[in-house]
Amino acid sequence: MEDGYQPVSSSAWSRADLAARDTALVEEARTGHGQGNLVPSSRQARRYVGVLAILIGAVCLGAVGTFYFRQVQRNKPATMFSNVQKDSTITMDESEAKIHHFYMYRVQNDEDYSPENQDMANIGGALWYLHNEIVWHHWSREGTYASTPKTRIERFLVFTKATPELFAKGMNFGVVNAYDLGKCTGPFGCENLKQYGPVVGCESWTKADSGKQGNNFPHQQWVGKNMYPNAVWYSLPGKCSSVNFWNQTGSCEEEEPSGKCPPGVVPSGDWTCTYTYQKVGELSINDIEGLRSFSEFVSNGGREYDKLTDKGTNMTFWDGFNDSHACQGRIDAVNKLFEAKYPTQPVLQDPTCDFDVDKFYPYFPEGYFTTTTTTMTNTQTRPAHRHPKHPRSKKDSKDLKDHKQQQGTSHHHPGSKHSDIVM
């Protein structure tokens, strides 16, 4: 060995060696600094105490540092594209549920407001909404339930995480709730928000191989009619979802929390932190269609799409409503436009919409979660529920009219003031 060092095992020491070593240590302690006894000097004592204090301080500092690091890891900021990978999921150590990160899109007018208590989509879902509800209106990009013209498709970077109650059922996404001016209107009276918390909902129109309804709910009437491949709608439950926007104040925030996480916090799955979002871009519908001016296009005899002829006039972008290849072509075209406009943003895959209506609603097609049987009458009592197409009440209509008179405009969710239409 180098420097003549030879390792010696403990067994190499004889009893005599050990006794001699102990005698030497005792004598050193006895004669140290002329004290003549086994009690250390005051200087030694201060030295020992100082060393002990340093050791204790180091242990405490390490413990505090470890706790702080774990807290930072748990609450680290979800800044734009931090921790964003090509895979749409991130596994966090503190929970079995995964954090999904992907893009959501919203068909919007020129107003700017939060996407909470609103419905969102992937690109296919946004284009389906435009195609089915908006662009066939000749003179304006208004819809059957949208009085304010649509002008753009917004992109949001979203992080989501299921609550323990939802994940225990084997799902990362819940039902898509419909919203009417910020008020949740369905399905089934929105009882799911009390059962699972404000979880992000999803819905697709792709038929399941098993033949079951799966995630084709609550707008299952469009299965086989929506030809946009893998089109998905989402919902983002916000605070006070039992009332309209202008009444969402006061104690209802505690009773009906938003699923939106506090700023800079990654979703934990807690009922107050199931998703976070950040707007990261947008495309104008004019850019998507290749127009310089919509009004000029219309005044020159153009038409985006005509349901009767299944094509446009002086425009071909929307031709082929029932042509899945043409629909996929439109999805690809919009994706390329976003990539060209925002080249530094990563390409993210849509997560699997694993909502299953039969798992989610234990008594489906009924929408209640608990049942109480009365033996004498053999009847069941359950929470009241409303159909997804529950009409606006007279009181809601009056509140809306008063709000418009006071505010001059209403911040309804894009594309619809009614619960049975998303966007």
Side-chain angles (χ1 to χ4, degrees):
M1 301 290 291
E2 294 182 7
D3 299 328
Y5 172 78
Q6 295 293 333
V8 179
S9 65
S10 60
S11 61
W13 290 85
S14 66
R15 289 179 179 270
D17 293 331
L18 293 172
R21 184 197 62 179
D22 292 341
T23 300
L25 290 174
V26 170
E27 184 65 21
E28 181 181 348
R30 181 186 300 278
T31 60
H33 299 282
Q35 296 300 312
N37 55 51
L38 292 176
V39 179
S41 67
S42 59
R43 181 179 297 177
Q44 286 177 310
R46 288 194 298 270
R47 184 181 299 167
Y48 296 153
V49 171
V51 171
L52 182 61
I54 292 173
L55 291 174
I56 294 174
V59 172
C60 294
L61 182 60
V64 172
T66 300
F67 174 80
Y68 176 77
F69 175 76
R70 288 177 178 173
Q71 290 299 108
V72 169
Q73 286 297 101
R74 182 175 297 145
N75 299 325
K76 55 189 175 182
T79 55
M80 186 170 70
F81 306 119
S82 64
N83 294 323
V84 173
Q85 307 162 5
K86 290 184 178 180
D87 183 14
S88 65
T89 63
I90 301 175
T91 302
M92 302 295 282
D93 293 337
E94 64 264 33
S95 174
E96 294 181 7
K98 292 182 177 179
I99 290 182
H100 294 261
H101 66 286
F102 54 101
Y103 295 123
M104 285 187 187
Y105 299 84
R106 175 170 69 171
V107 179
Q108 181 65 316
N109 51 41
D110 286 332
E111 297 179 67
D112 292 311
Y113 47 87
S114 162
E116 297 171 54
N117 282 339
Q118 305 229 337
D119 295 294
M120 309 286 278
N122 65 359
I123 288 181
L127 290 173
W128 155 254
Y129 168 72
L130 278 169
H131 211 165
N132 189 54
E133 287 293 328
I134 302 298
V135 297
W136 55 270
H137 294 272
H138 188 188
W139 303 106
S140 176
R141 291 195 182 113
E142 300 175 4
T144 307
Y145 301 104
S147 59
T148 307
K150 304 303 177 184
T151 59
R152 52 187 171 150
I153 296 179
E154 296 178 296
R155 169 187 271 189
F156 295 83
L157 178 65
V158 179
F159 289 71
T160 71
K161 190 173 186 177
T163 60
E165 292 83 355
L166 179 64
F167 193 68
K169 292 293 188 77
M171 292 172 283
N172 290 282
F173 296 93
V175 69
V176 162
N177 288 114
Y179 294 91
D180 187 349
L181 296 161
K183 179 179 179 179
C184 186
T185 57
F188 304 121
C190 307
E191 290 293 326
N192 58 286
L193 298 176
K194 301 177 183 178
Q195 182 72 15
Y196 298 108
V199 297
V200 176
C202 72
E203 175 182 16
S204 171
W205 297 273
T206 303
K207 291 184 179 180
D209 295 335
S210 63
K212 295 183 178 180
Q213 188 166 350
N215 60 21
N216 306 147
F217 182 83
H219 300 94
Q220 62 272 20
Q221 70 270 24
W222 291 329
V223 174
K225 297 180 180 179
N226 182 346
M227 303 307 295
Y228 281 85
N230 303 310
V232 177
W233 282 351
Y234 303 103
S235 59
L236 294 178
K239 66 179 181 181
C240 304
S241 57
S242 65
V243 294
N244 296 117
F245 282 129
W246 52 90
N247 292 322
Q248 292 177 353
T249 58
S251 62
C252 71
E253 295 186 36
E254 296 182 3
E255 299 172 0
E256 301 171 26
S258 172
K260 181 180 180 294
C261 301
V265 176
V266 172
S268 63
D270 183 85
W271 280 36
T272 60
C273 187
T274 60
Y275 65 86
T276 185
Y277 62 84
Q278 183 174 1
K279 182 177 175 179
V280 294
E282 65 177 49
L283 290 175
S284 72
I285 299 176
N286 282 350
D287 288 341
I288 292 172
E289 296 176 342
L291 297 180
R292 182 177 61 183
S293 166
F294 176 76
S295 58
E296 181 180 329
F297 168 75
V298 172
S299 63
N300 290 332
R303 184 167 185 175
E304 292 170 296
Y305 178 74
D306 187 337
K307 282 186 173 182
L308 296 178
T309 62
D310 192 31
K311 61 182 181 180
T313 302
N314 300 330
M315 177 181 292
T316 61
F317 183 82
W318 300 102
D319 292 4
F321 183 86
N322 295 311
D323 186 338
S324 61
H325 294 289
C327 291
Q328 182 62 57
R330 284 184 278 271
I331 293 174
D332 295 340
V334 172
N335 266 319
K336 289 180 180 178
L337 286 173
F338 270 111
E339 290 176 20
K341 188 173 182 179
Y342 305 101
T344 62
Q345 294 184 7
V347 176
L348 299 178
Q349 300 300 316
D350 294 334
T352 299
C353 177
D354 61 3
F355 167 71
D356 188 313
V357 68
D358 291 308
K359 293 180 180 179
F360 193 82
Y361 293 106
Y363 303 100
F364 190 76
E366 296 292 339
Y368 54 93
F369 295 96
T370 59
T371 177
T372 302
T373 303
T374 304
T375 55
M376 293 184 63
T377 60
N378 197 30
T379 60
Q380 291 181 328
T381 61
R382 54 187 182 267
H385 64 269
R386 291 175 289 177
H387 190 273
K389 294 187 178 182
H390 173 69
R392 178 182 289 124
S393 67
K394 291 182 179 180
K395 183 179 184 300
D396 285 346
S397 298
K398 182 179 184 300
D399 289 343
L400 173 60
K401 181 178 179 181
D402 293 341
H403 177 68
K404 283 185 175 180
Q405 291 175 347
Q406 294 173 6
Q407 304 295 330
T409 183
S410 62
H411 281 185
H412 55 266
H413 64 93
S416 170
K417 292 185 292 184
H418 292 273
S419 61
D420 61 328
I421 301 297
V422 177
M423 285 291 127

